[in-house]
Amino acid sequence: MNEIILMSDPRVAGLPVKECGEPLVDVRQDGSLLVDLRKQDPADAFSLLREGVLRRLRDAQDALPGGLRLLFVEGYRPPSLQRTYFEEYGAQLRAGRPDWSDEQVHTMASRYVSPPEIAPHSAGAAVDLTLADAEGRELDLGTRVNADPEESDGACYTGAENITEEARANRAILGAALGAAGLVNYPTEWWHWSYGDRYWAMSTGAPAALYGPYEL
């Protein structure tokens, strides 16, 4: 695999944000996307995205082969929840590797959960999603959505080799549609795509992110 730049890398965190002020919108508003409720929260924050991200998801869906649809799992994540996820996963890693320094734990945790201060989900800029058929049944993409590197033996990495040919082909279909619509993938998570955040800016060479952390 090519070099993977993690969310914790200074090349990501060091990029500026020029907040454009675009609102969060509910992806369920027009029924264009299939929405899975596995990450639904009491405030329904999970179904929110920046307007420009949703527009690009619609474009990506239009580019999919006939009979396939995007299946939306999670968008916006409040900063407090992001911090909880990051700390919980860090504690899990620390328990398994007590010899790791705090810096190592922070870096390795960022393979799976973004550090709260730069998290694309907390900017409404990132989406976790997969593919489904016309009846809404999930396709095989190699792992479940949100499988961590330990659970999946690294198969959660977008370019992982320890998946089936069918899963690899489905990842390629998903990636082609989303990439053409302007989104970028976080390569440790095949399901995580974003637009307008710091990771997108780093990946595309943009001078600044368009979206910063958002508090409801």
Side-chain angles (χ1 to χ4, degrees):
M1 278 187 259
N2 296 328
E3 178 198 11
I4 291 177
I5 298 176
L6 297 176
M7 289 284 184
S8 59
D9 194 292
R11 286 173 285 183
V12 181
L15 284 165
V17 176
K18 292 188 176 180
E19 173 60 55
C20 68
E22 197 173 274
L24 290 171
V25 293
D26 196 316
V27 302
R28 300 169 297 181
Q29 64 185 1
D30 64 359
S32 60
L33 299 181
L34 291 174
V35 177
D36 187 284
L37 299 180
R38 75 187 76 172
K39 299 292 286 186
Q40 186 173 23
D41 58 288
D44 269 352
F46 87 107
S47 63
L48 301 176
L49 280 178
R50 296 287 188 139
E51 196 171 47
V53 182
L54 177 55
R55 184 169 62 251
R56 286 166 175 79
L57 290 184
R58 293 187 185 120
D59 290 344
Q61 178 155 271
D62 289 343
L64 289 173
L68 296 185
R69 297 188 67 184
L70 297 178
L71 178 61
F72 173 95
V73 176
E74 186 180 17
Y76 175 72
R77 191 181 294 157
S80 59
L81 182 58
Q82 182 72 28
R83 183 169 299 280
T84 296
Y85 284 168
F86 189 76
E87 291 175 351
E88 287 177 348
Y89 185 54
Q92 176 184 325
L93 292 176
R94 186 174 287 107
R97 293 298 301 267
D99 56 313
W100 280 359
S101 66
D102 289 345
E103 182 179 358
Q104 284 175 298
V105 170
H106 187 273
T107 297
M108 296 304 283
S110 75
R111 297 170 304 160
Y112 179 59
V113 185
S114 176
E117 60 273 13
I118 60 166
H121 279 289
S122 295
V127 58
D128 294 340
L129 78 177
T130 187
L131 287 175
D133 64 17
E135 283 71 47
R137 295 173 298 211
E138 284 188 52
L139 302 189
D140 176 16
L141 276 87
T143 74
R144 69 179 184 90
V145 173
N146 290 322
D148 64 44
E150 291 74 34
E151 169 194 333
S152 67
D153 192 25
C156 59
Y157 282 47
T158 308
E161 297 183 357
N162 55 335
I163 60 174
T164 66
E165 288 299 324
E166 178 185 6
R168 188 172 293 110
N170 287 334
R171 289 187 186 186
I173 291 170
L174 182 68
L178 292 167
L183 286 89
V184 301
N185 173 242
Y186 188 43
T188 64
E189 301 175 339
W190 61 260
W191 57 85
H192 176 109
W193 292 78
S194 67
Y195 171 84
D197 61 301
R198 283 189 176 103
Y199 202 84
W200 165 86
M202 183 275 302
S203 300
T204 63
L210 307 176
Y211 310 132
Y214 198 106
E215 290 281 1
L216 291 179

